[in-house]
Amino acid sequence: MVHQIPLIQKFSEMSEEELLQFCSILYEQDGIKALSYEALSKQGALYYHLYRHGVNQKALIIQLDLQEQYSAYKATMPMMRRGRLSQRWTWEHIVKEATLVKETMGMLPPAAWFQDNGQQSLVQAVYYLGRTWEDLRKELNDFEGSNFVASRNGMRWLSHPEAALSNFLYARGIQHKRGERYPDEYSRHSTAKYAFFDLHFLNINGEWIDVEVWGDKPNGHAEAHYKIKREHKEAYNESNANFLGIHFRECFNEEILAGILEPHIGSIDAFQFDKPTDRLIHSTHWSNADELLEFCRHLVTTMPDGQFPCEGWLRKRGKYKNRPGEVYNTLSIYIKTWLGGIRNLRKLLDQSHVSTIEWDKDSAIAAYQKFYDGHGLTPGQARHITRKGGEVSTKLAAEAARIDNAVLKFAGGSVAVNELLGIVIDKTRRWTREAILDGFQSIISEWKMSPIQLLYEHKTGKTKFPEETYKKTSQMVGAINQQFSGVKEVYEILGFEPPSRPRKRRTKRELNELS
């Protein structure tokens, strides 16, 4: 018979052991949900007296040895997100939802399909749980009844390391094929009746090389069992001059793999690229990178500024520690491992212009000065032109916004920085088409060069003219895109062809210093 709940005042008379015993009765009576914080807090002063003994809700679960049951219970409970209750994503829930899609479509679609069909949260959950899309494919046994990983040439392999090796060979034009069965005599050297090589490739002499990719305990085999299996294979291949064993981790390292294969295929740089992004990713990472890159593209669409976030944002570090949403620690690791880091990822996403600068007062002021010197207008002016519909490139507008925000946060705002740098903004002057054309013509007549060339020579010290003239010329050049499609249109109207500056041939020492 289940014990009755005592009167509230009796909790104060209970020892820690008696309180724990009472909680066990609650568990027997109502199940694991009775030990949630919400349920405990409704039991009068129970939780207060537990806490008085140093037992909070988490410690209670541990002391009753119910961690596994509580984790399973918590995983089934909805959570509050953006003011609405939503299902908590667990690996089991992901597999269940993906299975429904597979049953409907006859296959598991790529991650991009889920993103395009209103199920992007499932894809996000895969990664923030520390999994990959390939893990989900394996869970659903989605590769024609077996667990296969496709390499770039369309061949399917039993593991990622094998696919990585295939990609490396394919990128270098090396003929290769899936592993074939060992000769029948192998069974006399092993407890196994048969075995398969992992891969074969042609060496520089036109001979097939037999490859084993060594693992630690692949496909769920016990480590001791796999050790024996490997020893049998190594013993059998001891006299095989065309045998090559490679540890699976070496298959993911382009440099190490190149060294291992050089005696067999020579030193060959990758030259066969099927996708625009292939040149920016090591060939050994292609299979892993494809769907990860698709997920990153989707994540960009969820960002307010349309830019892939920095590592601090992904990991909730520094100024982003209190941002809403999930932590993407594992995604950050995958980006480093498979995509070469966030800077390289931004190249793949065509966002090379996105800054990875860690802003402070000095870096913000320096960037502001560089922007003004390079464009003849302040970041604020560039943003004003954009808001008025002026022709400012998306890249320049994004750069201006970043710098403007940085000086606002770290350097007191653009007014303070303008005063510090001696930049005077003439708000009364409006550069009309006529004013720009007259200004260009005046400088061309006097200096026999365009205002842009004149600004360059002033900056490099070849020509010096009054600072006020420099500022006025900078502002005029910066206003070109407000009235014209570009400086080329101004040249065409004036019939002016700017003289080319002779290129100085760099010495070998200068080139080395630049690199």
Side-chain angles (χ1 to χ4, degrees):
M1 180 177 177
V2 176
H3 292 70
Q4 294 297 315
I5 298 175
L7 295 175
I8 292 177
Q9 61 267 27
K10 296 296 184 181
F11 288 133
S12 61
E13 301 172 7
M14 289 184 179
S15 65
E16 179 181 343
E17 184 177 349
E18 289 171 329
L19 288 168
L20 293 175
Q21 179 61 35
F22 177 76
C23 290
S24 294
I25 294 172
L26 290 177
Y27 170 65
E28 293 171 8
Q29 178 178 292
D30 296 322
I32 192 66
K33 64 180 181 180
L35 301 184
S36 67
Y37 174 79
E38 292 78 8
L40 290 172
S41 62
K42 293 178 181 178
Q43 291 289 343
L46 172 62
Y47 192 76
Y48 167 77
H49 289 290
L50 281 169
Y51 197 81
R52 188 168 58 85
H53 285 282
V55 181
N56 59 18
Q57 192 264 346
K58 183 177 181 181
L60 173 65
I61 296 296
I62 294 173
Q63 293 215 35
L64 297 180
D65 195 23
L66 294 172
Q67 300 96 307
E68 187 174 339
Q69 294 93 318
Y70 190 74
S71 293
Y73 163 75
K74 187 176 179 181
T76 65
M77 297 302 293
M79 58 183 173
M80 186 66 69
R81 178 177 290 166
R82 295 178 183 175
R84 294 186 301 175
L85 285 176
S86 62
Q87 172 65 49
R88 187 183 300 274
W89 283 107
T90 63
W91 183 244
E92 291 73 20
H93 184 50
I94 290 171
V95 171
K96 179 181 177 181
E97 292 296 315
T99 299
L100 293 175
V101 173
K102 179 185 175 183
E103 290 173 352
T104 301
M105 302 188 66
M107 58 167 284
L108 178 68
W113 182 92
F114 284 82
Q115 294 163 355
D116 293 339
N117 287 273
Q119 298 192 51
Q120 50 267 59
S121 60
L122 183 147
V123 183
Q124 293 173 355
V126 169
Y127 287 101
Y128 72 64
L129 286 176
R131 306 292 189 118
T132 68
W133 203 251
E134 292 302 326
D135 291 334
L136 185 56
R137 290 194 184 282
K138 289 179 181 179
E139 188 77 38
L140 299 183
N141 197 23
D142 190 58
F143 292 109
E144 300 176 358
S146 298
N147 298 326
F148 287 98
V149 182
S151 58
R152 182 63 89 241
N153 62 357
M155 298 174 72
R156 293 187 170 187
W157 305 89
L158 288 171
S159 71
H160 278 279
E162 293 168 25
L165 176 58
S166 172
N167 286 329
F168 182 94
L169 295 169
Y170 172 72
R172 291 156 180 80
I174 304 300
Q175 186 177 346
H176 60 287
K177 60 184 179 181
R178 281 188 288 267
E180 297 176 347
R181 184 167 173 158
Y182 274 66
D184 291 339
E185 64 180 29
Y186 171 76
S187 61
R188 298 197 296 269
H189 299 265
S190 171
T191 54
K193 293 182 179 180
Y194 63 90
F196 285 84
F197 289 104
D198 290 316
L199 180 147
H200 308 277
F201 67 85
L202 279 178
N203 68 6
I204 52 180
N205 298 320
E207 301 169 324
W208 285 103
I209 302 299
D210 306 321
V211 179
E212 282 282 358
V213 176
W214 302 124
D216 292 328
K217 45 181 178 180
N219 299 326
H221 292 307
E223 190 169 352
H225 172 77
Y226 182 74
K227 181 181 179 183
I228 295 172
K229 181 179 178 181
R230 174 174 174 173
E231 288 173 350
H232 289 167
K233 287 186 174 182
E234 287 179 319
Y236 176 81
N237 286 296
E238 190 173 7
S239 59
N240 182 358
N242 289 334
F243 175 75
L244 178 63
I246 307 174
H247 191 269
F248 77 95
R249 289 192 183 91
E250 295 170 332
C251 292
F252 293 127
N253 190 305
E254 194 107 343
E255 187 176 350
I256 291 176
L257 194 56
I260 292 172
L261 296 178
E262 185 174 1
H264 304 279
I265 64 174
S267 180
I268 308 174
D269 291 329
F271 64 85
Q272 193 156 263
F273 305 109
D274 294 346
K275 295 186 177 183
T277 56
D278 282 351
R279 295 177 184 273
L280 298 173
I281 305 174
H282 286 174
S283 59
T284 51
H285 295 169
W286 283 348
S287 292
N288 299 77
D290 287 347
E291 283 176 332
L292 178 59
L293 188 57
E294 285 304 311
F295 174 74
C296 291
R297 285 196 179 99
H298 166 71
L299 187 59
V300 165
T301 67
T302 68
M303 303 304 294
D305 58 0
Q307 297 170 359
F308 194 84
C310 63
E311 185 173 4
W313 187 95
L314 293 174
R315 291 179 172 270
K316 284 194 175 183
R317 302 276 178 83
K319 64 181 180 180
Y320 301 105
K321 64 182 180 181
N322 294 320
R323 71 162 175 82
E326 307 298 338
V327 181
Y328 293 97
N329 285 333
T330 306
L331 177 62
S332 176
I333 293 171
Y334 286 156
I335 289 171
K336 289 179 182 177
T337 305
W338 304 123
L339 301 178
I342 288 180
R343 188 181 295 273
N344 195 56
L345 169 60
R346 284 175 172 159
K347 291 180 183 178
L348 299 171
L349 298 175
D350 195 26
Q351 292 191 349
S352 300
H353 61 280
V354 178
S355 173
T356 55
I357 295 174
E358 289 295 330
W359 292 110
D360 56 25
K361 182 177 180 179
D362 292 338
S363 62
I365 293 173
Y368 194 96
Q369 178 75 72
K370 183 178 179 181
F371 187 96
Y372 182 75
D373 290 343
H375 304 290
L377 68 164
T378 66
Q381 288 174 310
R383 298 182 74 183
H384 178 73
I385 294 170
T386 303
R387 288 191 291 268
K388 292 295 185 181
E391 295 186 10
V392 174
S393 70
T394 303
K395 179 179 177 180
L396 184 63
E399 182 185 0
R402 286 194 304 276
I403 296 173
D404 227 13
N405 290 331
V407 298
L408 178 62
K409 182 172 183 178
F410 296 102
S414 57
V415 174
V417 175
N418 286 339
E419 185 176 350
L420 177 68
L421 299 177
I423 297 174
V424 178
I425 306 299
D426 186 359
K427 296 183 179 180
T428 63
R429 173 139 196 163
R430 171 174 167 78
W431 286 100
T432 63
R433 287 176 63 89
E434 294 73 18
I436 293 173
L437 291 172
D438 289 345
F440 261 70
Q441 186 62 63
S442 176
I443 289 176
I444 290 170
S445 300
E446 182 177 355
W447 298 91
K448 310 303 180 190
M449 65 176 72
S450 76
I452 295 174
Q453 290 173 315
L454 190 61
L455 289 173
Y456 173 81
E457 298 218 346
H458 178 78
K459 292 176 189 176
T460 57
K462 293 181 180 179
T463 305
K464 286 294 182 183
F465 49 92
E467 192 65 25
E468 187 61 32
T469 304
Y470 167 71
K471 290 178 180 178
K472 179 180 176 181
T473 305
S474 296
Q475 292 169 358
M476 177 180 67
V477 170
I480 290 174
N481 288 332
Q482 298 178 44
Q483 304 292 346
F484 301 93
S485 61
V487 70
K488 186 177 179 181
E489 182 184 354
V490 176
Y491 291 157
E492 290 175 351
I493 294 173
L494 297 176
F496 174 71
E497 184 174 342
S500 59
R501 295 191 299 272
R503 291 181 176 270
K504 179 184 176 183
R505 193 177 187 85
R506 297 186 185 277
T507 65
K508 187 174 182 180
R509 179 178 178 182
E510 287 175 326
L511 291 172
N512 289 335
E513 289 175 351
L514 285 172
S515 62

